């Protein structure tokens, strides 16, 4: 007989022929016993296929019964010592609780979470003791995305291992003095410990998927041997409502990422209440994942349920399990055994009879699968062996497990961080922690003696698995020489007479040159979200190939063309389709490969700038936390350069977002040589020096002639500003003629250059033009100088680059960009004292039209720059106001047109 009898349909009101049904079930049971589940599955599929072909309607159902996927007789047994492992789990639970409670006593009140690790603790410990391998000289190690709110438990284990001190635990959530440990996983703050920031819900799952695929990419291209490495991702059931959590699971199945294992902690609760109070989150997620093509393992019931399920001959218990909703299951665990007897088993006389010989304590002992080490081990072992599909383990747990009446299964438990002495005593007694009553008020940490069986076992298990986890590598052991700037000479020279190109084309030329470099070329990872032809990059399809684990099983429709669409098992390009979040997750995996894989990779991700930071800002912030290194390219940038597209495509603010990320270095270059200088320097910093910065550059699709690099301009380009073209001679401190300083960047710098000519030709005003390649870098430099002067009042004052350059000039300063005014306005505090500073920008919603019309509409064209300069000079007393009025008339500007922001 099979280990779990197939229930009859005697209790099914829809069954009109019970005898016939039983005959079918008996036949199926015989096949299962004699020929196994694979044969049974084959026969069932043939029967369903036959019925459908005969006209029967069989809607697809991805759900299986509300029981464990792996039957008892197929469970792989753990080789470990269950008694010692239980003791270690109890110590970890205690220390995790103590850490949070002590952080919220006295002046602290620093927050923290007890309930999350309480529910996931057994799931974590089985992995630490048996499955998760650390990196060694011969093996890259497994990658673990740890559920952020469970961080106290990870610290508690590290404390037992001797990796963290008691002082560090006492300084939980105290980062500033460098003595403590962070609230959640943050590589920036604990660079030797945490690998992945996961507490921003949803980012862990999508990053884990693309990380797993990137391991396949590295292996296929021969860059690293990633065979046998796995990516484990722990998520909460409430977290799965985030679009990023489930948004890429289809890709994981399509790519056959059998190196990926999700563990969803289904404790049925999110922060405020039930995840699916009126339904079943386990069943819902099973449908989502199985429908997407994943291998699904449900771990719902613990071992104490096995005898009851084995006796469920008529299926009443299974029916009861199926009909009970999660809101009820949560309520059961918030009460006691008597409550469960009455309100769960008491629903049917048959199930009530099943537990008639059990005490209330026996009923309360019926455990959930996510707290049963034997069930978890069996699921982990099956997941680790499974080939051809990613696996998700849906483990049912109790939020606040072990917290007793104060927090177990209660809605407010997520926020619970303070326990009174009685609650601490109950916790101690439940997990048998050797802490005397006299010390309970202190909630002391507990660590077994060095030579105790528990400590020996703990250390031996981690040694057997290669060392401690989590751990992070700060620098790659390999190094590369970066091509010198002269390598990109073609971009440093003026464009040929009559030749016009865009900065996007200039980027493609730069990238092509880097790819050709024999040293770092193979490490380049071009990432494109279905816009290669827009950006002129389709030539790379044939040259580099698009990575595909299956190669190309078809002949592309453009095969007869030079730049045909070529997929290849060793392709270098990652083409993610219309999927900016996935492409950014690709970029993060490559940009942090120096740490996760000890392989320096150089990702270049180019996208519509409007669909960059605005859409994936949270991932960009995570990239900063992870100390990413690589290039982001915001193409078709600015509010007016992308003519004809309109409101939702025109970016006027991405630089404001990038400026908020401290290790993101942002530039808005206008000319090819500026771009080449910036990117070559970026390569040197990120690859040559392994500095933890990453770059954001905006590029345009507007074609125009480009001047060449002049000697000495490199420093100013990198600092954020240099004098591009000097105005008429004859004006100086004596101000024989009026003079103005004109700043511009990106698409609008050429309008500023044209305005310089108008000022000189029409109004006899001299204008010096400055290319402001980075207002962001200018501001950061200004803040540094300002801060130094604040804290060192007796030292010689420092000058910012902006001040140092502009204080040698005269006249008001006018800045114009293709971004909102706040972009250029951010340097206002660092403009030399007493100088007037005017800013033009593209505040308001974008719209569709020609570039000329858009620049007129947003009031950033050459005529508005000219008027702004004249008005600034007039307000400064250098010109009569009549000249401003004359200019408005001359350039036919409608002075009564509405403010673009209001239109």
């Amino acid at each position: 007989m099979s280990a779990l009898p197939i229930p009859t349909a005697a209790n099914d009101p829809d069954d009109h022929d019970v005898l016939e049904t039983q005959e079918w079930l008996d036949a199926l049971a015989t096949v299962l016993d004699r020929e196994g589940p694979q044969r049974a599955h084959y026969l069932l599929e043939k029967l369903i296929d036959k019925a459908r072909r005969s006209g029967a309607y069989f809607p697809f159902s991805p759900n299986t019964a509300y029981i464990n996927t792996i039957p008892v007789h197929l469970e792989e047994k753990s080789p470990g010592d269950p008694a010692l492992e239980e003791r270690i789990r109890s110590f970890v639970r205690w220390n995790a609780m103590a850490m949070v409670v002590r952080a919220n006593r006295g002046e602290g009140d620093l927050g923290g979470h007890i309930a999350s690790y309480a529910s996931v603790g057994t799931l974590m410990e089985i992995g630490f003791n048996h499955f998760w391998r650390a990196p060694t000289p011969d093996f890259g190690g497994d990658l673990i995305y740890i559920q952020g709110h469970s961080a106290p438990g990870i610290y508690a284990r590290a404390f037992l291992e001797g990796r963290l001190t008691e002082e560090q635990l006492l300084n939980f959530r105290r980062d500033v003095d460098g003595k403590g440990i962070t609230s959640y996983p943050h590589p920036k703050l604990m660079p030797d410990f945490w690998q992945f920031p996961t507490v921003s819900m949803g980012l862990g799952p999508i990053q884990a998927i693309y990380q797993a695929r990137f391991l396949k990419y590295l292996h296929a291209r021969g860059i690293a041997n990633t065979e046998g490495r796995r990516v484990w991702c722990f998520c909460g059931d409430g977290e799965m409502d985030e679009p990023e959590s489930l948004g890429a699971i289809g890709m994981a199945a399509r790519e056959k990422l059998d190196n990926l294992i999700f563990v969803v902690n289904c404790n049925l609760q999110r922060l405020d209440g039930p995840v699916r109070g009126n339904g079943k989150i386990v069943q819902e997620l099973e449908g989502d994942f199985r429908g997407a093509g994943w291998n699904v393992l449900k771990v719902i019931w613990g071992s104490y349920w096995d005898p009851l399920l084995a006796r469920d001959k008529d299926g009443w218990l299974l029916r009861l399990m199926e009909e009970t909703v999660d809101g009820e299951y949560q309520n059961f665990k918030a009460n006691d055994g008597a409550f469960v007897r009455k309100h769960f088993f008491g629903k049917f006389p048959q199930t009530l009879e099943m537990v008639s010989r059990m005490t209330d304590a026996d009923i309360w002992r019926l455990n959930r699968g996510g707290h049963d080490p034997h069930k978890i081990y069996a699921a982990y072992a099956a997941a680790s062996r499974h080939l051809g599909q990613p696996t998700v383990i849906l483990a049912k747990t109790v939020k606040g497990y072990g917290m007793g009446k104060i927090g177990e299964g209660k809605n407010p438990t997520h926020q619970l961080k303070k326990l009174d002495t009685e609650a601490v005593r109950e916790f101690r007694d439940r997990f048998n922690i050797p802490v005397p009553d006299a010390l309970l008020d202190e909630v002391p940490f507990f660590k077994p003696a060095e030579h105790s069986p528990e400590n020996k076992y703990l250390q031996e298990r981690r040694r057997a698995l290669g060392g401690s986890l989590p751990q992070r590598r700060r620098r790659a052991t390999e190094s590369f020489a970066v091509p010198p700037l002269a390598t990109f000479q073609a971009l440093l020279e003026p464009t040929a007479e009559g030749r016009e190109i865009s900065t996007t084309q200039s980027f493609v030329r730069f990238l092509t040159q880097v790819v050709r470099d024999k040293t770092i070329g193979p490490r380049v990872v071009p990432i494109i979200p279905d816009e290669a032809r827009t950006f002129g990059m389709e030539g790379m399809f044939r040259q580099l190939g698009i990575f595909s684990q299956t190669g190309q099983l078809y002949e592309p429709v453009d095969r007869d063309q030079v730049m045909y669409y070529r997929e290849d098992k060793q392709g270098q390009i990652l083409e993610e389709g219309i999927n900016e979040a996935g492409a950014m997750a690709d970029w993060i995996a490559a940009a942090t490969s120096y740490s996760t894989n000890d392989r320096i990779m150089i990702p270049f991700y180019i996208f519509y700038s409007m669909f960059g930071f605005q859409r994936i800002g949270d991932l960009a912030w995570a990239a900063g936390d992870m100390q990413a290194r690589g290039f982001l390219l915001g193409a078709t940038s600015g509010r007016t350069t992308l003519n004809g597209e309109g409101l939702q495509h025109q970016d006027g603010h991405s630089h404001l977002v990038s400026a908020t990320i401290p290790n993101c270095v942002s530039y808005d270059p206008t000319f090819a040589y500026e771009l080449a200088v910036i990117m070559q320097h970026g390569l040197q910093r990120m690859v040559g020096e392994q500095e933890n910065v990453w770059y954001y550059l905006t590029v345009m699709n507007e074609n125009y002639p480009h001047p060449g690099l002049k000697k000495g301009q490199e420093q100013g380009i990198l600092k954020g500003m240099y004098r591009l073209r000097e105005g008429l001679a004859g004006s100086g401190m004596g101000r024989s003629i009026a003079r103005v300083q004109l700043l511009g960047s990106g698409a609008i710098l050429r309008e500023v250059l044209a305005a310089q000519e108008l000022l000189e030709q029409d109004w006899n005003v001299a204008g010096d033009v400055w290319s402001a390649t980075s207002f962001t870098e200018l501001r950061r430099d200004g803040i540094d100088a300002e801060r130094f002067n604040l804290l060192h009042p007796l030292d010689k004052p420092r000058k910012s680059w902006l001040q140092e350059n502009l204080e040698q000039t005269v006249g008001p300063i006018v800045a114009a960009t293709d971004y909102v005014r706040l972009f250029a306005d951010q340097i206002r505090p660092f403009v030399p004292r007493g100088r007037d500073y005017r800013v033009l920008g593209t505040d308001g919603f974008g719209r569709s039209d020609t570039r000329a019309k858009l620049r007129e509409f947003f009031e950033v064209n050459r005529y508005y720059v000219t008027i702004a300069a004249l008005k600034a000079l007039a307000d400064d007393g250098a010109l009569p106001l009549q000249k401003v009025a004359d200019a408005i008339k001359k350039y036919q500007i409608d002075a009564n047109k509405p403010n673009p922001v209001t239109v």
Side-chain angles (χ1 to χ4, degrees):
M1 295 294 291
S2 61
L4 184 63
I6 300 174
T8 67
N11 55 330
D12 187 351
D14 295 327
D15 191 350
H16 304 298
D17 192 336
V18 174
L19 183 59
E20 181 183 34
T21 301
Q22 189 59 51
E23 290 174 351
W24 279 92
L25 292 175
D26 289 344
L28 178 60
T30 301
V31 173
L32 284 167
D33 286 339
R34 296 181 180 178
E35 301 183 62
Q38 291 184 340
R39 177 62 178 167
H41 180 264
Y42 174 80
L43 291 174
L44 289 172
E45 288 294 329
K46 295 296 287 187
L47 287 170
I48 292 171
D49 182 64
K50 174 63 177 175
R52 283 177 173 154
R53 290 175 183 272
S54 300
Y57 173 64
F58 284 100
F60 168 73
S61 175
N63 283 120
T64 59
Y66 197 62
I67 56 176
N68 295 344
T69 304
I70 304 173
V72 175
H73 68 289
L74 294 180
E75 291 175 354
E76 184 172 329
K77 305 304 179 185
S78 169
D81 185 321
L84 283 177
E85 289 184 19
E86 183 178 2
R87 296 295 296 141
I88 293 168
R89 283 196 300 274
S90 297
F91 298 158
V92 174
R93 289 181 187 280
W94 171 267
N95 288 327
M97 176 276 293
M99 189 188 325
V100 176
V101 169
R102 294 180 70 163
N104 288 277
R105 290 187 171 180
E107 65 174 358
D109 206 17
L110 294 169
H113 303 277
I114 303 172
S116 294
Y117 184 77
S119 68
V120 81
T122 308
L123 292 162
M124 300 299 300
E125 281 298 303
I126 296 301
F128 277 124
N129 283 325
H130 298 287
F131 291 94
W132 301 336
R133 298 155 298 173
T136 66
D138 302 318
F139 181 72
D142 295 325
L143 303 175
I144 321 297
Y145 288 77
I146 293 168
Q147 194 178 2
H149 292 94
S150 64
I154 310 305
Y155 293 141
R157 164 169 264 271
F159 170 65
L160 294 185
E161 292 180 13
R163 301 177 65 200
L164 297 178
T165 65
E166 183 168 332
E167 182 185 18
Q168 287 175 295
L169 267 59
L170 287 171
N171 283 282
F172 173 56
R173 291 194 165 213
R174 295 178 183 269
D175 297 333
V176 172
D177 293 333
K179 298 177 181 179
I181 46 181
T182 62
S183 53
Y184 303 118
H186 292 299
K188 169 66 179 175
L189 301 178
M190 294 181 68
D192 300 312
F193 194 88
W194 293 115
Q195 286 186 298
F196 310 111
T198 53
V199 80
S200 184
M201 299 289 94
L203 298 195
I206 192 171
Q207 288 186 77
I209 289 172
Y210 285 89
Q211 184 74 254
R213 206 273 297 271
F214 193 70
L215 293 182
K216 300 275 189 180
Y217 172 90
L218 290 175
H219 193 83
R221 294 193 54 219
I223 293 173
N225 180 7
T226 63
E227 192 172 6
R229 296 179 66 189
R230 295 187 183 90
V231 176
W232 294 71
C233 179
F234 282 77
C235 350
D237 47 358
E239 180 179 4
M240 304 315 286
D241 285 338
E242 290 283 2
E244 294 91 343
S245 295
L246 295 176
I249 62 174
M251 187 279 274
R254 185 173 65 248
E255 295 285 326
K256 298 179 174 58
L257 299 181
D258 50 14
N259 60 341
L260 174 65
I261 299 171
F262 270 29
V263 181
V264 183
N265 175 23
C266 298
N267 60 34
L268 313 186
Q269 291 180 243
R270 46 187 173 216
L271 276 63
D272 291 333
V275 177
R276 295 290 185 274
N278 296 316
K280 281 187 173 65
I281 189 60
V282 169
Q283 299 297 85
E284 180 181 322
L285 292 174
E286 178 189 26
D288 291 336
F289 280 95
R290 179 168 284 116
W294 286 52
N295 175 43
V296 180
L297 300 176
K298 294 192 293 189
V299 185
I300 301 175
W301 309 110
S303 299
Y304 290 112
W305 286 92
D306 291 342
L308 287 176
L309 287 165
R311 287 163 42 205
D312 189 30
K313 307 294 185 182
D314 296 328
W316 285 101
L317 179 56
L318 178 57
R319 177 179 173 181
L320 178 58
M321 291 172 166
E322 296 274 7
E323 292 181 359
T324 303
V325 296
D326 282 354
E328 294 177 285
Y329 280 121
Q330 180 190 348
N331 203 9
F332 297 149
K333 279 303 179 183
N335 283 278
D336 55 23
F339 185 91
V340 175
R341 181 191 301 275
K342 178 180 179 180
H343 295 281
F344 179 68
F345 290 106
K347 287 185 178 181
F348 299 129
Q350 293 87 342
T351 53
L352 188 59
E353 171 60 26
M354 292 179 74
V355 296
S356 61
R357 294 171 183 81
M358 297 174 64
T359 67
D360 290 345
D362 291 334
I363 291 175
W364 187 244
R365 198 176 296 116
L366 293 170
N367 55 340
R368 292 186 179 172
H371 299 300
D372 189 313
H374 310 292
K375 302 293 185 183
I376 296 168
Y377 183 92
Y380 284 10
S384 299
R385 286 194 308 269
H386 191 78
L387 299 176
Q389 290 175 293
T391 293
V392 61
I393 297 169
L394 304 175
K396 190 176 180 181
T397 64
V398 180
K399 190 155 190 175
Y401 177 79
M403 294 176 68
K405 61 180 180 295
I406 194 173
E408 190 159 338
K410 304 290 178 65
N411 278 338
T413 190
H414 184 82
Q415 307 299 340
L416 194 61
K417 52 188 72 69
K418 296 182 179 181
L419 301 183
D420 59 24
T421 301
E422 188 55 40
V424 172
R425 177 180 287 107
E426 184 178 349
F427 197 102
R428 178 204 63 180
D429 293 345
R430 178 161 185 173
F431 294 108
N432 194 24
I433 307 299
V435 172
D437 287 346
L439 296 178
L440 283 181
D441 285 343
E442 300 176 17
V443 199
F445 298 117
F446 177 79
K447 191 173 185 179
E450 181 180 354
H451 299 294
S452 66
E454 294 91 345
N455 187 61
K456 286 182 178 179
Y457 187 87
L458 177 84
Q459 304 294 347
E460 287 169 1
R461 290 311 309 144
R462 286 317 309 167
R463 278 195 296 270
L465 292 167
S468 293
L469 285 175
Q471 61 171 279
R472 181 181 178 276
R473 180 184 294 106
R474 292 195 188 205
R475 293 173 61 90
T477 57
E478 61 182 9
S479 60
F480 294 103
V482 171
L485 184 59
T487 305
F488 309 99
Q489 190 62 36
L491 295 174
L492 305 179
E493 296 176 350
T495 50
E497 185 71 26
R499 171 85 166 146
E500 295 185 346
I501 61 171
S502 67
T503 48
T504 302
Q505 289 173 284
S506 303
F507 158 68
V508 174
R509 290 183 178 184
F510 181 93
L511 180 60
T512 301
Q513 196 66 43
V514 176
V515 167
R516 289 173 179 168
D517 186 89
K518 293 181 179 179
T519 303
I520 66 171
R523 300 306 181 92
V524 170
V525 185
I527 303 169
I528 312 166
D530 204 35
E531 293 284 1
R533 299 183 194 280
T534 304
F535 307 141
M537 298 177 67
E538 65 270 30
M540 290 187 171
F541 289 161
R542 181 173 181 178
Q543 176 190 358
L544 303 179
I546 299 164
F547 176 66
S548 167
Q549 292 196 73
T550 55
Q552 194 154 32
L553 306 178
Y554 63 96
E555 183 172 300
V557 68
D558 56 356
R559 181 64 178 81
D560 59 338
Q561 299 179 18
V562 174
M563 295 180 287
Y564 70 90
Y565 195 86
R566 183 172 73 87
E567 299 186 65
D568 191 280
K569 290 183 179 180
Q570 295 181 321
Q572 193 165 349
I573 298 170
L574 291 175
E575 163 70 77
E576 292 305 339
I578 307 171
N579 179 7
E580 286 84 3
M584 186 63 184
D586 267 339
W587 184 87
I588 291 173
T592 57
S593 179
Y594 72 92
S595 178
T596 53
N597 305 303
D598 200 20
R599 295 293 186 273
I600 294 173
M601 305 301 288
I602 314 169
F604 293 83
Y605 169 31
I606 185 168
F607 48 86
Y608 265 98
S609 65
M610 187 64 160
F611 305 139
F613 283 92
Q614 178 165 295
R615 181 164 286 188
I616 49 84
D618 204 6
L619 282 166
W621 186 257
D625 193 348
M626 293 171 70
Q627 308 293 279
R629 304 171 187 167
F631 292 97
L632 294 182
L633 285 300
T636 59
S637 72
R639 194 78 88 203
T640 69
T641 186
L642 186 60
N643 56 323
E645 286 294 319
L647 184 151
Q648 201 158 8
H649 284 71
Q650 293 167 347
D651 166 35
H653 50 269
S654 65
H655 275 286
L656 294 181
V657 184
S658 71
T660 65
I661 302 173
N663 50 354
C664 174
V665 184
S666 305
Y667 289 94
D668 184 33
T670 304
F671 300 119
Y673 68 85
E674 294 176 340
L675 183 140
V677 168
I678 293 165
M679 297 192 78
Q680 191 276 338
H681 188 250
L683 285 175
Q684 182 58 40
R685 292 179 71 181
M686 294 184 291
V687 178
E689 300 167 15
Q690 293 203 47
E691 186 178 348
N692 290 328
V693 294
W694 52 279
Y695 278 64
Y696 175 57
L697 284 80
T698 41
V699 292
M700 291 88 70
N701 65 339
E702 184 176 355
N703 293 323
Y704 46 80
H706 291 240
L709 177 68
K710 295 179 181 177
K711 186 177 180 180
Q713 289 180 330
E714 295 91 340
Q715 183 183 18
I717 291 172
L718 298 174
K719 287 281 193 178
M721 183 183 80
Y722 67 99
R723 182 149 44 194
L724 175 63
R725 194 162 74 191
E726 197 166 358
L728 287 169
S731 61
M733 301 304 290
R735 303 177 72 167
S736 55
I737 62 172
R739 196 172 196 88
V740 66
Q741 305 303 312
L742 305 173
L743 278 62
S745 74
I748 301 303
L749 176 58
R750 294 177 65 250
E751 293 295 321
V752 171
L753 286 166
Q756 180 200 43
E757 295 176 0
L758 292 176
L759 285 166
E760 294 180 353
Q761 295 169 9
D762 295 348
W763 311 103
N764 195 32
V765 169
D768 297 323
V769 176
W770 300 77
S771 175
T773 52
S774 180
F775 284 99
T776 302
E777 289 300 293
L778 290 174
R779 174 175 173 78
R780 289 174 176 175
D781 178 62
I783 290 173
D784 280 346
E786 182 181 66
R787 179 179 177 276
F788 177 87
N789 295 337
L790 171 69
L791 299 176
H792 302 83
L794 302 181
D795 291 356
K796 179 182 178 181
R798 288 185 181 175
K799 294 181 180 179
S800 67
W801 181 257
L802 181 77
Q803 180 185 0
E804 187 178 329
N805 281 272
L806 289 183
E807 71 178 7
Q808 300 176 34
T809 68
V810 296
I813 304 156
V814 177
T817 77
D818 214 11
Y819 296 85
V820 295
R821 294 184 182 216
L822 191 57
F823 175 50
D825 204 56
Q826 64 182 313
I827 66 169
R828 183 178 297 278
F830 315 111
V831 169
R833 187 174 301 173
R835 301 282 289 278
D836 192 9
Y837 182 54
R838 306 290 174 93
V839 173
L840 302 182
T842 54
D843 297 62
F845 287 115
R847 58 205 60 221
S848 215
D849 216 310
T850 64
R851 294 186 180 105
K853 291 292 290 183
L854 289 172
R855 288 165 187 168
E856 178 186 3
F857 172 81
F858 283 110
E859 303 172 1
V860 292
N861 66 8
R862 62 198 65 186
Y863 305 114
Y864 279 95
V865 175
T866 300
I867 291 171
L870 293 174
K871 181 63 164 62
L873 287 166
D875 291 345
D876 209 22
L879 291 176
L881 285 170
Q882 183 60 47
K883 280 206 171 187
V884 184
D886 292 344
I888 292 172
K889 182 177 181 181
K890 177 179 179 63
Y891 301 135
Q892 299 180 358
I893 290 174
D894 181 2
N896 296 313
K897 71 186 281 285
N899 187 330
V901 176
T902 66
V903 179

